[in-house]
Amino acid sequence: MELNDTRLLNTHTYKMLQLQNLNAEDNFSVEPLFFRIYLESDKEKLESLLIQKPFIKIHDEISTQLDDLIKSKHPKRKPEPAELEILKAKHIGNLSMQDYGVWVYYPWSDRLVHILDEEEYIEVRTNRNIYKITREERDLLGKQKIGVVGLSVGQSISITMAMERSFGEIRLADFDVLELTNINRIRTGVHNLGVPKVTIVAREIKEIDPYLKVTCFYDGLTEENMHRYFTEGGNLDIVVDECDSLDIKIQLRGLAKPLGIPVVMDTSDRGTLDVERFDLEPERPILHGLIDHLDYSQVKHLKTNEEKVPFLLAMIGIDTVSTRLKASMIEVGQTITTWPQLASAVTLGGALGADVCRRISLGQYHESGRYWIDMADLIKDKEPKLDNEYAVKDYDAKELTLPEMERATNIVINETIDLSNDQIKELVSLAVLAPSSGNNQPWKWFANKGKLFLFHDEKHSVSWGDFDNITSNISFGATIETLKIAAIKMGFAVEPIYFPNKENRRLIAAFNFIEASSAVYASDLSSAIGFRTTNRKAGTGKKIDEKVTASLKEIVKLGDSESNIDIIENKDQIIKIADIVSKVERIRFLYPQGHHDFYTKEIRWNDVDVNQTKDGLDIKSLELSESDKTGLIVASEPGVIKLLNKWGGGAAFEKLSNKAIISSSGIGLITMPNYDQESFIKGGEAVQRVWLKANIQGLTFHPISAPLFLFARLNHGNSEELTEPMMVELTELQRSLKEIFPVLDERQGIFMFRLSYADDASVRSVRRSLDETLIFN
């Protein structure tokens, strides 16, 4: 190695060591030093500083500031340059230009800046505000004490108010430091990474106006420092809430209210701004009363997201947030780490917040409320571009009328014991307790001269999900089986005649009632008809006793049935099944028609809807966590689904049942030899027997058949109403399920379900009244 090469290497090593041994920067310095060097003591201090720091950057524009000052004093005329110099010299008197005013040293940037002294500085800096803000108003604003908690939107509000000089003191509270992900919305540079947000904002304010008072709370606003924050040095006049903590949001209002301090909050979505005038409305409920139905006195003790979700949901008003934010919320924890904020929204929030605070301080605005300045709504295309990204239809069916039922049944010849009306009512009242897809109850029972018939009332079931009437036929099988079991208690055996009228396939079955033989059909199952239920709660994973498994396999074969049952108890395979079912659920939710049917036909959000319709799925029956329930609410908007599909998102839908399925003790699959309507009906009969038997033996039962129904569309419907990506994914999922259940290569999958040991279901599904489901001719 040459000598020069060695020297270069040593220099390089030295510089690298410098990088590794940098002195820690002072991240808490926010106060500049003031030097009025016409005072001898200050002049000596500044000279000493310049000797200690010879690399200080000096900015001296005092002359141009004096130009502006002189011009502001002579608004009616514009002094020529020569006259301006004379007026400036007269103004500074015996002082030199260098001695006049104040030298301000900013230690964090090693800058020394020459500016006008306070009174003149304020006059010149605010001159362009006049008369939007008069001098009298400016002086009043200069006495205001403003608190800002949270410094994302809070930074924008703070800086905007500083620029307008809307306060004399500002108290900044935030515990966090700047991270790279913050720079999408916080106006600052990479040199501030790792610096407390309070420091960054305080420094910027001091660089705009070093005469403003800034008080810093580096721990953020806490229960311990809250009273001091509000009162020390005089009560705040306004507090701006931009913090993320639910408990601090509530606690700060709990103190602002008795102190009579108004609260302003921007949400940086759709220009949402909240104003709470506790100064004028001392009895006003906090957050506009939106959380009054919740016990917010305990909010500080909430630890988990599940506990906090009800407060968040009520507080933000999920119905009024933007579609993009709703879709983004579903992706939190999936493809993004937290909800997004844009610089434009934060900047707008800064403008709105600063404007409202100024007008409150000046007595120009006296109301409370929630307001929206939605730019996307105010400035938009007059004729929005149409798309087909959410093309759906409302399926309808021909009304099932009494004349049709009369015509269809008059040609049916069945030899049966004629039943009394009371006997028919008793039987049907039990038969309608059978399960149905989405609790849609697709049946209409028709009694004609002591004879009983079952019709398909299609208006209750027609949908994208009921491909080829598969789910309806399974439901018919379940209700027929319930009828057969219930009839035994009355001394009758039942012989169903499937599709007895070839001209009207809506007539599902006619029934022959005969005297029961000594061999009583499934008599042990009748006791479970009334308490059979769907239970989607997570299980304990407890192993199923072999005798119980054997009894389920035996009951499925009752009456020489061609149905068969396979039960998987291997945990690894159960996890794979959970993955398959979860992915199919995600596909269904993201497909516009599947999404539309779920929200318009199936789900019932409250007790009023449940009791009014007497069908559908009670939201409580889904056994969702609060966060998952919130996700369902957020996902109800079609625009959300359009965005999720565009982004390739929606994996959160896989969470809805995944954990519960994994907790199962076993997964059951009922199959039949053939794919035809009668096979699905008879398969449904087997389903009901197994369901009743499982409940009797203490097992919970939860249908998870969505994969089978979509696979049927894939295999037997020419992939009707399936997109190419859906077809590809469903084909792969079907292959995975066949690896677990090889029987699916030879037989038709009818119904899949999970068996568990779990707590009781939260609710039971309700049924429509007998008057609506049973018609007497």
Side-chain angles (χ1 to χ4, degrees), residues 121-388:
Y121 183 88
I122 293 172
E123 177 62 31
V124 172
R125 196 176 77 77
T126 62
N127 184 260
R128 295 293 294 272
N129 291 346
I130 312 297
Y131 285 97
K132 287 205 168 185
I133 301 173
T134 67
R135 287 181 174 83
E136 293 75 15
E137 289 171 337
R138 177 196 67 194
D139 294 342
L140 177 61
L141 291 171
K143 298 175 183 177
Q144 299 298 296
K145 299 177 178 65
I146 307 293
V148 180
V149 185
L151 293 175
S152 289
V153 177
Q155 185 224 30
S156 184
I157 293 176
S158 300
I159 299 303
T160 304
M161 287 194 294
M163 293 170 73
E164 291 186 357
R165 214 167 205 281
S166 295
F167 59 82
E169 178 190 357
I170 191 167
R171 298 174 193 170
L172 305 174
D174 197 312
F175 63 86
D176 209 359
V177 299
L178 183 76
E179 298 173 345
L180 186 57
T181 56
N182 300 141
I183 302 183
N184 78 313
R185 62 194 185 278
I186 295 180
R187 188 188 66 182
T188 191
V190 292
H191 62 285
N192 277 325
L193 291 174
V195 177
K197 292 178 181 177
V198 166
T199 297
I200 295 169
V201 179
R203 287 175 176 176
E204 188 167 1
I205 290 172
K206 288 292 186 176
E207 288 170 354
I208 292 169
D209 191 335
Y211 301 111
L212 289 171
K213 181 178 179 182
V214 181
T215 306
C216 299
F217 287 74
Y218 286 96
D219 293 330
L221 191 62
T222 66
E223 188 174 4
E224 292 73 25
N225 69 18
M226 192 172 294
H227 192 271
R228 181 165 63 87
Y229 178 84
F230 272 84
T231 63
E232 190 171 79
N235 285 4
L236 290 172
D237 294 292
I238 300 172
V239 62
V240 178
D241 169 26
E242 298 300 336
C243 71
D244 296 328
S245 171
L246 288 179
D247 58 320
I248 295 301
K249 283 184 176 295
I250 292 171
Q251 288 184 55
L252 75 82
R253 285 167 172 80
L255 184 55
K257 182 175 177 176
L259 290 175
I261 298 173
V263 177
V264 175
M265 177 176 73
D266 178 88
T267 314
S268 68
D269 178 67
R270 293 190 64 218
T272 307
L273 189 80
D274 288 275
V275 183
E276 297 165 84
R277 296 300 302 269
F278 298 123
D279 54 329
L280 304 179
E281 304 170 68
E283 301 304 317
R284 183 177 182 80
I286 69 170
L287 287 161
H288 317 300
L290 294 172
I291 62 171
D292 277 3
H293 61 291
L294 301 168
D295 183 9
Y296 54 81
S297 65
Q298 299 300 309
V299 71
K300 66 179 179 181
H301 303 298
L302 303 182
K303 303 296 182 185
T304 67
N305 285 336
E306 304 306 325
E307 295 172 317
K308 295 176 181 178
V309 160
F311 291 88
L312 179 63
L313 193 63
M315 195 178 293
I316 66 174
I318 200 67
D319 293 335
T320 57
V321 302
S322 69
T323 301
R324 277 190 178 261
L325 183 57
K326 288 178 184 176
S328 301
M329 289 169 69
I330 292 174
E331 288 302 296
V332 172
Q334 303 297 321
T335 57
I336 55 176
T337 57
T338 186
W339 67 353
Q341 291 175 285
L342 294 179
S344 54
V346 169
T347 303
L348 175 63
L352 298 176
D355 179 88
V356 167
C357 287
R358 182 187 71 250
R359 290 190 290 124
I360 289 174
S361 296
L362 295 177
Q364 297 170 352
Y365 166 67
H366 306 87
E367 302 295 329
S368 297
R370 174 167 287 181
Y371 306 90
W372 291 271
I373 310 297
D374 187 352
M375 302 304 292
D377 185 56
L378 293 171
I379 306 173
K380 60 185 178 182
D381 291 339
K382 293 180 180 178
E383 297 180 4
K385 181 181 177 182
L386 299 177
D387 63 59
N388 293 315

Side-chain angles (χ1 to χ4, degrees), residues 41-56:
S41 59
D42 278 14
K43 185 175 183 179
E44 291 175 359
K45 290 176 183 177
L46 180 57
E47 288 174 347
S48 176
L49 177 67
L50 292 170
I51 292 170
Q52 293 173 26
K53 295 179 175 289
F55 302 110
I56 283 178

Side-chain angles (χ1 to χ4, degrees), residues 709-741:
F709 304 151
L710 280 183
F711 296 160
R713 183 184 286 273
L714 183 71
N715 300 328
H716 299 280
N718 295 319
S719 301
E720 179 185 351
E721 294 189 73
L722 296 177
T723 65
E724 184 66 30
M726 289 169 70
M727 290 164 54
V728 171
E729 188 170 9
L730 287 171
T731 299
E732 179 59 27
L733 291 172
Q734 182 173 228
R735 184 194 62 77
S736 298
L737 191 62
K738 285 182 176 181
E739 288 180 356
I740 300 169
F741 290 109

Side-chain angles (χ1 to χ4, degrees), residues 423-433 478-494 513 520-523 525-527 529 688 692:
Q423 287 174 317
I424 289 173
K425 285 181 179 179
E426 183 177 348
L427 284 172
V428 174
S429 66
L430 293 171
V432 297
L433 296 179
T479 196
I480 289 169
E481 188 66 17
T482 308
L483 182 80
K484 289 158 65 177
I485 296 168
I488 291 295
K489 297 286 285 184
M490 297 173 62
F492 301 116
V494 179
F513 290 88
V520 178
Y521 180 85
S523 59
L525 300 183
S526 62
S527 63
I529 292 174
Q688 180 68 336
L692 295 171

